[in-house]
Amino acid sequence: MASPANSFVGTPYWMAPEVILAMDEGQYDGKVDIWSLGITCIELAERKPPLFNMNAMSALYHIAQNDSPTLQSNEWTDSFRRFVDYCLQKIPQERPTSAELLRHDFVRRDRPLRVLIDLIQRTKDAVRELDNLQYRKMKKILFQETRNGPLNESQEDEEDSEHGTSLIREMDSLGSNHSIPSVSVSTGSQSSSVNSMQEVMEENSSEPVLMHDDESPVNSSSSVVPKKDHVFIRDEAGHGDPRPEPRPTQSVQSQALHYRNRERFATIKSASLVTRQIHEHEQENELREQMSGYKRMRRQHQKQLIALENKLKAEMDEHRLKLQKEVETHANNSSIELEKLAKKQVAIIEKEAKVAAADEKKFQQQILAQQKKDLTTFLESQKKQYKICKEKIKEEMNEDHSTPKKEKQERISKHKENLQHTQAEEEAHLLTQQRLYYDKNCRFFKRKIMIKRHEVEQQNIREELNKKRTQKEMEHAMLIRHDESTRELEYRQLHTLQKLRMDLIRLQHQTELENQLEYNKRRERELHRKHVMELRQQPKNLKAMEMQIKKQFQDTCKVQTKQYKALKNHQLEVTPKNEHKTILKTLKDEQTRKLAILAEQYEQSINEMMASQALRLDEAQEAECQALRLQLQQEMELLNAYQSKIKMQTEAQHERELQKLEQRVSLRRAHLEQKIEEELAALQKERSERIKYLLERQEREIETFDMESLRMGFGNLVTLDFPKEDYR
């Protein structure tokens, strides 16, 4: 956004405070134009903006530090005062917008419609009268030089100056001599302005002024005009000196008509004002160039700060992206490791299940083989016992001869049946015991396998939870390392930014001091040049005063000569003729003595006048030098105070930035530590819950298995310890 003061000769007097601060901060909105409007209102009311008599660099500091300017005079209405104060709110947020200004009482009040036209016409009339007066004065000076010589020049200048004082004051009251446009005014534009002014004078004035095509007022005044184009009239003051009053000829009227058709615009600036503006514009080129260089430097400093901030921001973004990628990589690696661990645990469980199934089958086969072997042994022992019992019964029957053979056969058959039945029952009991033993041992083995599986599950979940805890601890260590690296980078970037800002402020202050010193030297050179011109002008003034004293001396001499002649005639009349020679000699000596005394007084007056004028000039110049030195010293002190304030504000800003960074770092570290604690607590809670859930599930499985075993009649399988050969 361009500064609104760029349209005002590059000077800071119309700048809003935030525009001056924007050289550092770089941010402001359209309300700066509202501030410029308020300053323009003060300029229109007081003929110059506030702080205009001050150096442009010093005005910058005053605008930024002081309160808002106000109208100094009490002749303005309250609505206008409130309007100006409303426009010049120091805080931009409190300053109104253009829509709010349009609703202000000062804008909405009733006012004449032709006020601007009347003001312009009044100014044009005053400019016309001033130019006419200057023209007539120059013509009168030329006429006096041709008729009477240059003896009465100073007297005529004084008379015309008295006549022109009122017009000059009116012109000064209407136009501001301080607001100088930034564009150069050439000699051609000066001539055209005078010519266009002349057209209005020819149209509206009863006393038109003669003006040629390419003449400025000075040229027209110094040119010789034929006598037939003028008539001699008495001046308004009643003096007897005739003055030429120009009357338009046919050629002049045709030239005026030509200018009217070409320009069709009447300027409201006098020729002297245009000429003075040309010289002032040339003198202010150096100041504008200095101000432009200062603005350029401030903008360059702002660009450097913005570029550094963007660079540091990009570096921080890259750093955070790198840390984020590292965190994501760690998370992905952790997930992959957990997946691998889960697959490994599943494989282990499957392998353990296969091994358990194989062991169970092997265990069952071992029991079955052992039971089969025991059954075979048991059957063989039964056969042996059966044979023994059979042989024993036969022996007993053979010993009993009294029992019939048939009864013996029946008794043997019955005994065999009882023995076979008993052996069958014993065999069935053995098979039952073996089945019970088999089922109970298989059940016990299954319980043992289940407990072993539970142990594997516990080991797996402990391994998984330990793995998660290890990964989480590694993640936390990485986050702490990231936080420390981010903290170091933030402190390093803040130190770099603050160092650049301080370097730029030192460079800015050095430039401001150099500009102020250059301004001081320029003011001293201008004052010295002015004093030199006064010293050069002093001989002319002394010559004029000496001529005045000489004229007084001549008049005194003439008076004394007349008095001497009258006295001589009187003495000759009343004195006898024989004493005439003595009286004439006495009177001659007396006249000579008085003339000598008068000549001595003349020389003494000349010397005293020269000494007093030189003393007055020296005292005035010394007073001006003292006043300038005091003013420059005050401006330098103001600049030093402003720079010290800016430096203190910058240091305070750096301290606030450092405290803010420390607070942000400590808060981020506290949040990180809190996050770590919460994640560790959550992990511990998850660990406890999962282990608890696993143990509860396993406990329920064991209880369910034991209850089922009890229902199956196996009793307590925890303390089961069967001898393999005890089946009965």
Side-chain angles (χ1 to χ4, degrees):
M1 180 182 296
S3 172
N6 291 339
S7 60
F8 298 102
V9 205
T11 55
Y13 306 105
W14 289 264
M15 284 186 180
E18 62 267 26
V19 177
I20 300 174
L21 297 177
M23 296 181 183
D24 300 324
E25 301 173 0
Q27 295 180 357
Y28 59 90
D29 54 15
K31 289 189 177 180
V32 297
D33 297 326
I34 304 299
W35 178 279
S36 299
L37 174 62
I39 298 297
T40 304
C41 291
I42 295 180
E43 179 197 11
L44 293 174
E46 300 178 352
R47 298 190 299 161
K48 60 182 179 180
L51 308 176
F52 192 80
N53 295 329
M54 188 175 294
N55 180 22
M57 301 297 293
S58 300
L60 276 177
Y61 319 140
H62 275 280
I63 294 173
Q65 293 184 96
N66 296 351
D67 296 332
S68 300
T70 56
L71 290 168
Q72 301 298 325
S73 178
N74 296 326
E75 60 182 351
W76 306 106
T77 60
D78 294 337
S79 61
F80 182 55
R81 287 179 173 278
R82 289 194 299 268
F83 180 79
V84 173
D85 295 339
Y86 198 33
C87 293
L88 297 179
Q89 293 291 332
K90 191 71 175 285
I91 302 176
Q93 290 76 14
E94 298 178 359
R95 203 175 302 150
T97 61
S98 56
E100 294 173 348
L101 284 180
L102 291 176
R103 295 191 296 268
H104 196 271
D105 296 339
F106 177 73
V107 179
R108 300 180 64 179
R109 66 185 178 88
D110 296 333
R111 56 187 179 275
L113 298 178
R114 292 181 52 84
V115 60
L116 291 179
I117 299 176
D118 295 341
L119 181 61
I120 293 174
Q121 188 62 39
R122 177 185 171 190
T123 307
K124 288 165 60 177
D125 294 341
V127 171
R128 185 188 309 114
E129 291 297 331
L130 184 61
D131 285 346
N132 195 11
L133 177 63
Q134 294 288 342
Y135 177 80
R136 285 183 297 188
K137 184 177 72 172
M138 295 304 298
K139 285 298 182 183
K140 183 178 67 174
I141 292 173
L142 290 176
F143 182 76
Q144 290 293 336
E145 287 179 355
T146 56
R147 292 292 302 272
N148 300 330
L151 294 177
N152 299 328
E153 180 179 359
S154 60
Q155 179 180 359
E156 297 297 334
D157 290 341
E158 293 176 358
E159 293 175 357
D160 281 340
S161 299
E162 293 176 357
H163 289 295
T165 302
S166 61
L167 287 176
I168 293 173
R169 289 177 180 173
E170 182 180 4
M171 187 60 198
D172 290 339
S173 65
L174 291 175
S176 174
N177 293 334
H178 302 279
S179 301
I180 303 172
S182 60
V183 294
S184 300
V185 183
S186 62
T187 306
S189 63
Q190 177 185 350
S191 301
S192 63
S193 66
V194 175
N195 294 333
S196 59
M197 190 69 242
Q198 192 65 34
E199 297 169 14
V200 179
M201 293 172 59
E202 290 179 0
E203 292 177 359
N204 301 329
S205 177
S206 61
E207 294 181 359
V209 180
L210 178 63
M211 188 69 66
H212 295 283
D213 291 352
D214 53 353
E215 289 178 346
S216 64
V218 178
N219 293 334
S220 63
S221 301
S222 60
S223 61
V224 179
V225 183
K227 186 176 180 180
K228 63 181 181 179
D229 291 337
H230 300 78
V231 293
F232 298 100
I233 60 174
R234 297 288 181 181
D235 61 357
E236 298 174 359
H239 298 287
D241 296 334
R243 292 185 302 171
E245 185 68 14
R247 291 184 178 178
T249 60
Q250 185 67 26
S251 60
V252 174
Q253 292 179 355
S254 62
Q255 293 171 4
L257 179 62
H258 170 69
Y259 288 127
R260 244 193 330 269
N261 295 332
R262 185 184 67 178
E263 299 293 339
R264 300 193 178 184
F265 177 75
T267 182
I268 61 174
K269 293 183 179 180
S270 64
S272 59
L273 179 61
V274 173
T275 305
R276 184 168 66 252
Q277 287 178 350
I278 293 174
H279 294 298
E280 290 178 353
H281 174 73
E282 293 175 353
Q283 292 174 0
E284 289 183 359
N285 280 337
E286 183 179 356
L287 177 61
R288 281 198 300 274
E289 182 63 27
Q290 184 186 89
M291 191 66 189
S292 301
Y294 178 74
K295 284 184 175 181
R296 208 162 38 243
M297 180 195 69
R298 295 284 291 268
R299 287 194 295 268
Q300 186 65 27
H301 290 180
Q302 186 65 26
K303 289 181 180 179
Q304 292 181 11
L305 287 175
I306 294 175
L308 180 60
E309 289 176 356
N310 294 333
K311 179 183 177 182
L312 298 179
K313 183 179 179 181
E315 183 182 0
M316 180 60 70
D317 292 339
E318 183 180 359
H319 174 73
R320 289 176 177 172
L321 183 61
K322 179 182 177 182
L323 299 184
Q324 184 178 0
K325 287 183 178 179
E326 188 174 352
V327 171
E328 292 176 354
T329 302
H330 180 269
N332 294 332
N333 293 335
S334 300
S335 300
I336 293 174
E337 290 179 358
L338 289 177
E339 290 178 359
K340 289 181 178 180
L341 180 61
K343 292 179 180 179
K344 177 183 176 182
Q345 291 177 353
V346 170
I348 291 174
I349 291 175
E350 291 178 352
K351 182 179 179 182
E352 290 292 333
K354 291 179 180 179
V355 171
D359 291 343
E360 184 180 5
K361 187 176 181 181
K362 183 179 180 181
F363 180 72
Q364 291 174 356
Q365 289 177 355
Q366 289 178 355
I367 293 177
L368 291 175
Q370 184 64 32
Q371 287 181 349
K372 185 178 181 181
K373 182 178 179 181
D374 293 342
L375 181 60
T376 303
T377 305
F378 179 74
L379 291 176
E380 290 179 353
S381 65
Q382 279 187 340
K383 287 181 179 180
K384 291 180 179 179
Q385 189 177 5
Y386 178 76
K387 289 180 179 181
I388 293 172
C389 289
K390 182 179 178 182
E391 291 294 331
K392 184 178 180 181
I393 291 173
K394 284 182 178 182
E395 289 179 356
E396 289 179 355
M397 289 299 174
N398 290 329
E399 290 178 357
D400 188 8
H401 298 283
S402 61
T403 305
K405 185 176 183 181
K406 184 177 181 181
E407 186 179 352
K408 288 181 180 179
Q409 290 295 330
E410 290 177 357
R411 288 176 64 183
I412 291 172
S413 298
K414 188 176 181 180
H415 187 73
K416 285 182 179 179
E417 290 178 359
N418 291 332
L419 185 59
Q420 289 177 353
H421 180 69
T422 301
Q423 288 182 348
E425 288 179 353
E426 290 178 356
E427 183 180 359
H429 179 70
L430 178 62
L431 292 175
T432 302
Q433 291 294 326
Q434 286 183 344
R435 173 57 59 182
L436 180 62
Y437 179 82
Y438 175 78
D439 292 339
K440 196 170 186 178
N441 278 274
C442 289
R443 192 73 179 172
F444 176 77
F445 193 81
K446 286 182 178 180
R447 190 176 188 278
K448 186 177 178 181
I449 291 175
M450 183 176 63
I451 292 174
K452 187 176 181 180
R453 177 170 58 81
H454 287 175
E455 293 176 354
V456 172
E457 290 177 352
Q458 293 175 7
Q459 181 180 358
N460 289 340
I461 195 171
R462 281 195 298 270
E463 185 178 1
E464 179 185 356
L465 293 175
N466 291 336
K467 188 68 174 179
K468 284 187 176 181
R469 184 177 181 84
T470 303
Q471 291 176 350
K472 188 61 68 174
E473 290 175 352
M474 293 176 61
E475 179 183 354
H476 292 166
M478 180 181 62
L479 291 177
I480 292 175
R481 188 176 68 255
H482 289 177
D483 181 73
E484 292 177 353
S485 62
T486 304
R487 173 180 174 275
E488 293 176 358
L489 181 60
E490 287 175 342
Y491 275 99
R492 186 171 66 252
Q493 289 185 351
L494 181 62
H495 179 265
T496 303
L497 183 62
Q498 291 181 351
K499 183 177 181 299
L500 177 62
R501 188 182 292 130
M502 289 302 297
D503 292 341
L504 295 180
I505 287 178
R506 279 193 292 270
L507 179 60
Q508 173 189 334
H509 289 177
Q510 182 65 28
T511 304
E512 290 172 352
L513 287 174
E514 292 176 356
N515 292 341
Q516 184 67 31
L517 292 175
E518 184 179 354
Y519 169 76
N520 295 348
K521 292 179 181 178
R522 184 168 66 251
R523 288 290 302 275
E524 292 174 355
R525 286 197 305 269
E526 291 175 356
L527 184 61
H528 179 69
R529 191 181 302 114
K530 177 185 175 183
H531 290 171
V532 171
M533 292 299 296
E534 290 177 351
L535 291 175
R536 291 179 180 177
Q537 188 68 23
Q538 187 181 13
K540 297 181 181 179
N541 299 332
L542 294 177
K543 186 68 175 178
M545 297 182 70
E546 183 179 359
M547 292 296 295
Q548 185 178 1
I549 295 174
K550 183 178 181 181
K551 184 178 180 182
Q552 294 176 358
F553 174 74
Q554 291 175 351
D555 294 339
T556 304
C557 290
K558 290 179 181 179
V559 171
Q560 286 186 358
T561 302
K562 290 179 181 180
Q563 291 177 353
Y564 168 72
K565 289 181 180 180
L567 180 61
K568 183 181 70 172
N569 294 331
H570 177 70
Q571 291 290 339
L572 291 176
E573 290 177 356
V574 299
T575 306
K577 191 173 182 180
N578 56 356
E579 296 178 2
H580 284 183
K581 186 174 181 181
T582 305
I583 292 173
L584 288 175
K585 184 178 180 182
T586 303
L587 292 176
K588 186 69 174 177
D589 293 339
E590 183 68 18
Q591 181 183 9
T592 303
R593 184 181 63 81
K594 289 185 177 180
L595 286 177
I597 294 173
L598 190 62
E600 184 179 356
Q601 292 178 354
Y602 166 73
E603 293 178 357
Q604 184 178 359
S605 299
I606 292 296
N607 294 331
E608 290 178 355
M609 181 269 298
M610 290 186 175
S612 63
Q613 290 297 323
L615 181 61
R616 291 175 185 174
L617 184 61
D618 292 340
E619 291 178 351
Q621 290 181 351
E622 184 65 26
E624 289 180 356
C625 290
Q626 291 290 343
L628 179 61
R629 281 195 291 268
L630 180 61
Q631 178 186 357
L632 296 180
Q633 181 181 0
Q634 291 176 352
E635 292 184 0
M636 183 63 72
E637 292 176 355
L638 176 65
L639 175 60
N640 293 331
Y642 177 75
Q643 290 183 349
S644 299
K645 181 179 178 181
I646 292 297
K647 187 176 180 181
M648 292 174 60
Q649 290 177 352
T650 305
E651 292 175 352
Q653 177 186 355
H654 289 177
E655 186 66 24
R656 288 194 303 271
E657 290 176 351
L658 184 60
Q659 292 178 357
K660 186 177 179 180
L661 178 59
E662 291 177 351
Q663 183 179 3
R664 186 170 66 248
V665 168
S666 60
L667 185 62
R668 187 176 63 227
R669 185 58 179 264
H671 287 169
L672 178 59
E673 293 177 353
Q674 182 179 1
K675 177 184 176 182
I676 291 174
E677 292 179 358
E678 291 176 354
E679 290 182 353
L680 290 177
L683 185 62
Q684 184 64 29
K685 183 178 179 181
E686 179 187 1
R687 180 186 183 93
S688 302
E689 289 179 352
R690 289 188 63 180
I691 292 177
K692 180 180 178 181
Y693 175 76
L694 178 63
L695 294 177
E696 289 177 353
R697 181 177 61 81
Q698 291 178 351
E699 186 178 358
R700 286 195 302 270
E701 289 181 359
I702 292 175
E703 289 179 357
T704 303
F705 188 85
D706 291 341
M707 291 296 294
E708 186 178 354
S709 299
L710 287 175
R711 285 196 302 269
M712 294 173 65
F714 296 123
N716 190 7
L717 299 178
V718 180
T719 58
L720 181 64
D721 189 13
F722 266 57
K724 294 184 179 180
E725 63 277 2
D726 188 8
Y727 300 110
R728 290 168 289 188

